[in-house]
Amino acid sequence: MSHPLWDRYGPLIKSRSRMIPDSVVHALQSIPHPVVLLEGTRRVTDDWRTALVRLGRELAEAFPNAIFRSGNAAGSDEAFAEGVASVPGSHLQLILPIPQVGRSRRPKGTPCFSLDQIPDAELEILVTACAAATPANRRLFDFFVNGPSNNHAYSKTRYLVRDALKVIGSPSLNLPPATLGLFFINEDDASGGGTGHTIRLCQNHNVPVLTQQAWLDPLNP
């Protein structure tokens, strides 16, 4: 079944020699070592997956000094990461809720970091940031700090706290904060789920966010 967004932009993407929008170039070209979040919805058609792999590859080629950071989820994250990892010498980081998650999706040799490596003082900062970004889940975040670690709610919340690590970084792990967030969102639920949570984290920490509306519209003559 066709996808309305692909019906609109697919022919333009196929016909262009470069997918990287000028807004991304302007945001990154003056920063010696930018940190770019590449992620989004798990719901990705085959056409869009191919396009996101291509965009990840072009970004890695255009910005060899950049660090590209992903949460290693299926869908958009995996496609972006595949594109970046296809470029020799590129710098890809995967930020995980637990060390063993998503092993089959990891490009070989990619550095991985997880919440298990974060000291308690930094973890508290991440949890506080999460509660500010998604206050409706404040009780979950309180439970994460005080509740048992073998509970389903605790396990679910780890993913949201992991999102804060992607944005804020970690001094102890030498992970700098993000410079820019590039997202492929579900336009029917742009503020929902982990992607919406991560976007709000970016906004609260002054990290510019570009969704596909920002990097696709310039393609439309």
Side-chain angles (χ1 to χ4, degrees):
M1 188 171 74
S2 65
H3 189 286
L5 196 64
W6 184 257
D7 290 343
R8 179 180 178 188
Y9 289 110
L12 292 166
I13 290 173
K14 291 179 179 179
S15 67
R16 286 175 63 92
S17 60
R18 190 188 78 168
M19 279 186 65
I20 303 175
D22 290 341
S23 55
V24 172
V25 175
H26 295 156
L28 300 181
Q29 63 185 359
S30 63
I31 303 173
H33 299 284
V35 178
V36 184
L37 302 184
L38 295 175
E39 56 187 280
T41 178
R42 295 173 183 265
R43 294 170 50 188
V44 180
T45 65
D46 289 343
D47 286 330
W48 277 114
R49 189 185 191 287
T50 299
L52 298 183
V53 170
R54 175 184 166 189
L55 181 54
R57 182 176 64 251
E58 290 184 10
L59 286 166
E61 291 172 342
F63 300 100
N65 293 327
I67 295 171
F68 298 96
R69 189 175 287 169
S70 166
N72 195 38
S76 301
D77 291 30
E78 184 180 10
F80 277 130
E82 180 182 325
V84 172
S86 70
V87 178
S90 60
H91 304 285
L92 176 65
Q93 294 176 344
L94 299 181
I95 310 298
L96 311 173
I98 53 177
Q100 63 266 35
V101 72
R103 290 187 183 276
S104 64
R105 293 190 294 271
R106 302 179 194 177
K108 186 177 180 180
T110 301
C112 298
F113 305 88
S114 76
L115 290 181
D116 290 3
Q117 301 169 267
I118 301 297
D120 289 345
E122 289 186 17
L123 194 61
E124 290 179 10
I125 293 172
L126 299 179
V127 172
T128 299
C130 286
T134 309
N137 288 346
R138 184 176 296 275
R139 290 184 63 186
L140 281 178
F141 299 124
D142 290 341
F143 185 84
F144 182 82
V145 174
N146 302 306
S149 61
N150 60 349
N151 182 279
H152 175 69
Y154 181 95
S155 299
K156 176 182 176 182
T157 309
R158 289 186 72 94
Y159 284 82
L160 299 177
V161 179
R162 178 276 314 268
D163 293 335
L165 178 57
K166 289 185 295 188
V167 176
I168 297 173
S170 165
S172 65
L173 298 182
N174 197 28
L175 294 175
T179 304
L180 175 72
L182 194 63
F183 294 84
F184 184 75
I185 63 172
N186 174 7
E187 294 186 317
D188 295 329
D189 188 20
S191 62
T195 301
H197 174 68
T198 307
I199 289 174
R200 290 189 294 275
L201 282 162
C202 286
Q203 293 167 338
N204 287 353
H205 290 84
N206 301 313
V207 178
V209 169
L210 296 175
T211 67
Q212 63 260 36
Q213 287 183 323
W215 51 267
L216 286 176
D217 280 346
L219 300 182
N220 208 3

